[in-house]
Amino acid sequence: MKKPSKSIIVRILKITGITFGSIILLLFLIPILFPGKIAEEVKGFANKKLNGELDFKEAKLSFFNHFPSLTLTLTDFSLKGSAPYQKETLLSANEMAFGIDISSLIFDKSVVIDKVFVSNALMNVKVNAKGEANYNVYISGEKTTKKDTTGNTSLRLDKIAIEDSHLVYNDQSTKILIDAKGFNYIGNGDLDQAIFDIYTEAEIENFDFTYDGQQYLKNKKVKADLITKINTNSLAFVFQQNNLKINKLPVEFNGKFDFLSNGYDMDFNIKSEDSKLNDFFTALPPAYVTWLDKTKVKGSTDLSFTLKGKYIASKNQKPDVAFNMKIRDGLIAYKDAPFPVSNIFLNFDAKLPALDTEKLKVNIDSVFFNVDKDFVKAIIKTEGLSKPNINARINTKIDLALMDKAFGLEHMDLRGILNMDIKSKGVYDKKNNKIPVTNGKINFKNGYVKTDYYPNPIQKINVVATILDQKGSLEDLNINITPASFEFEGKPIFVNAKLQNFENIKYDIKAKGELDLGKIYKVFSQKGLELEGYVNADVSFKGSQNDAMNGRYANLQNQGTLKLKNIKTTSEYLPKPFIIKEGTFVFNQDKMNFNDFMAAYGQSDFKMNGYLQNVIDFVLTDKAILKGNFQLHADYINVDEFMMPTTTLTVADSTKTTEPIVETGVVVIPSNFDLQFNAIANKINFEGLAIDNLKGQMKINKGQLELKQSGFDLIGSNVKMDLVYGSQSTEKAFFDFKILAKEFDIKRAYNEVKMFREMASAAESAEGIVSLDYKVAGILNNTMQPIYPSLTGSGVLSVKKVKMKGFKMFGAVSKKTGKDAIKNPDVSQVDIKTTIKNNIINIERFKFKVAGFRPRIEGQTSFDGKLNIKMRLGLPPFGIIGIPIKVTGTQDEPKVRLGKQTEDLQETEYEGEVPQPITAEPKPQ
């Protein structure tokens, strides 16, 4: 065979060398020849196609960052979100690189972006409660093609690569929070098509998933191989073939996700079939993974989760959710447990149609496990939440010490023999006095509980209890605890109780022992929570609710002593805890006598002596009325601290998310109190109002507070007042009061009394002494301020030696008439009678003298400052001749004209329930 000549070889080498050299040269030249054009075209494209503020530090063009692609790399890249998140970052990255199609650049002189590379990025996706998202930054093309005046740049992606990034998805409309760190993603496909498949490989080093504030996954490793069909015309995703692995648990995932104009349309199906029970535990929170390292787990499990339907927040339309779990032949053995938990069997099925908890169905048609020869087995089925239909059978014979060791329960040491046999079937409807038909027996012997939170155990726990109800009614319910006892800190506690007929409860209760609530709470407490208090009891109660309510006290056998110290109690009616500093209670039949009871609530302090009646029934049922009579003394009461908080949603501006704002609410009076107090309070604060030396008779009954024959000192004057107050809700209350205040300083009243300042704003510069005899009723809002259209009332304001200084109405009249003497008149004695209704204060005709003039005034003013005043300015010497004047406009800008004819101010009626003033005179029959 003839060998190729040397010249041919040399020629081939030259051509190869020149070609290779040219390619190398082009790799360096193209970024030099085209950088300005590419950067300009990309910026123009971004300005046209992105509805969000884009920024970067520097642009670099190179083949070597993501070889062999020619890439435009933007350093310190950031992109703001769409409304309502225009000022918050959607995407920030150390580097954001766009791959450029070289053939289009050279031959078509256009910039086509076909790849996107992101590294060390933060992707911060947000959706508010209304469903408004920050990711709507890409402006889609119009249907009719128009000439592109911004340049020849287009987006035809076939690859997206994300490296070592952090993804946060916070959707307040669905209450889903996803936090993925160490996020790596490669997506390939014909992304320039309207409908295309994208092939995805993704890995997440730390994956957290939270729903409705509850964290379900934390620090999980996720690996995914996905095939997703994307329809950009309708913005729909179809998940065709998706294999996930959460730690070691394999998961199959398919379904669809469509973006609607006002929400989402979802159809997800997630399942893991015939998986190892051990692998299931690796997908749970870290505490279980730590436990799993020391535990032998065997068995198989099937899991499935479905989410199907539309989520449209504005229409309150929500998808259906279902979850199913099965465990077969399970075994758990922690460390060197003498016996494992074996033969674990579980069928669990839950359904939540339309995310409506009232339709929740939970079906545990069987759960079973053994510990040696002991066992736990149960069947529990429920439907609904507020009025659940229950069908349950629970049967156990278990040594808790063996179970504790087998499960490896951390932070807790349990011992004792628990035998339980409970059958329950029927509806629990407390309102209609229905409970499931129930037959239950509980026997707990030699119980022992110790936790890591406190060094000493609760021990010698013995409980024998039966629950029996054969008719499914509260009337037929019987609970016997005979006996219950335990020992804590070397001090024994004994309780025996028999309770029958919870519609008319019959009770027989005995309790004796000492208990430090602070220490026993620490046995179970978590860091940051506290409870303190000491109880010493030696009491016995026997009787019936019917006897107590009907005054048959001879049939009651209630006696004993209860001592409390530093007890914190909470109530749904009060925002802060009520602290009993010290109290000795002596029971005698229906009465609970208070001996030097001392308590505190926030800054307020109370000392009481007296008694309560019907205490036992009040504690055992929610229908009983707590009665009492007390002598009450307080050095200081801060009424503001008794106001209930209410939560409202507000948006400060369009750039911020909707945040809950806590506001105050009205003081709520419990409806099941019938209490009387002879009260003395040295100082009271209410909305900055300083009240001294309060004395009066106070009554709390049927959700109302009534104050009679009360007197107190305010702004240097003694005030007499009767008051009725009650709440309509946590945000509204009604009041009715009658007040008599003699000779108080009007200047001090304006400066120190907020309500006076608002109702008599024109008195800002007035000086002198006035008296007030008035009655008014109305509604208070959630800040305990009056709703003015709701007010009704009448009374007399007596003026004595008052300088009407600074009243703009008198200044305007003075200017109009040319009479300087009435600009700042001195009024020696006049009674001004007024009535209040529908936001209007009607002023009856009154006269006074000033510098020889005899003004006569009548008319109307409104709480929002409008005026309709008729005035006659009687001229010296006797006022026989007068000038008719009408004053309109507002208190700040009064308009004065000569004449008599005026138009009544427009009334504003209150839309809601307005109380009839209790202090009003009775209507004739």
Side-chain angles (χ1 to χ4, degrees), residues 4 13 30 41 149 218 231 270 290 548 649 663 723 747 891:
L13 291 174
I30 288 177
E41 291 286 347
T149 58
K218 182 174 177 61
N231 186 336
I270 303 171
T290 304
L649 292 177
E663 299 178 350
L723 168 70
K747 194 172 189 66
Q891 292 177 359

Side-chain angles (χ1 to χ4, degrees), residues 415-419 443-448 461-464:
R415 303 176 197 171
I417 306 299
L418 176 62
N419 290 306
N443 193 329
F444 188 28
K445 294 182 179 179
N446 299 320
Y448 177 101
I461 305 170
N462 290 282
V463 178
V464 177

Side-chain angles (χ1 to χ4, degrees), residues 632 637 639 669 675-681 684 686 691-701 704-713 719-726 734-739 918-919:
L632 170 65
I637 298 176
V639 177
I669 307 297
L675 306 175
Q676 298 185 41
F677 300 87
N678 288 320
I680 298 174
I684 297 176
F686 172 53
I691 299 173
D692 297 322
N693 303 320
L694 171 67
K695 295 181 180 179
Q697 296 178 4
M698 183 170 66
K699 184 178 181 180
I700 298 175
N701 188 25
Q704 294 186 9
L705 182 149
E706 187 174 348
L707 198 61
K708 286 187 175 181
Q709 300 176 4
S710 65
F712 55 88
D713 296 332
V719 179
K720 304 293 184 184
M721 185 177 75
D722 291 343
L723 168 70
V724 176
Y725 168 90
F734 65 87
F735 73 96
D736 178 11
F737 79 88
K738 183 176 183 180
I739 187 170
I918 299 175
T919 52

Side-chain angles (χ1 to χ4, degrees), residues 657-677:
T657 58
T658 304
E659 298 289 347
I661 303 296
V662 177
E663 299 178 350
T664 57
V666 300
V667 177
V668 178
I669 307 297
S671 60
N672 52 352
F673 284 3
D674 183 3
L675 306 175
Q676 298 185 41
F677 300 87

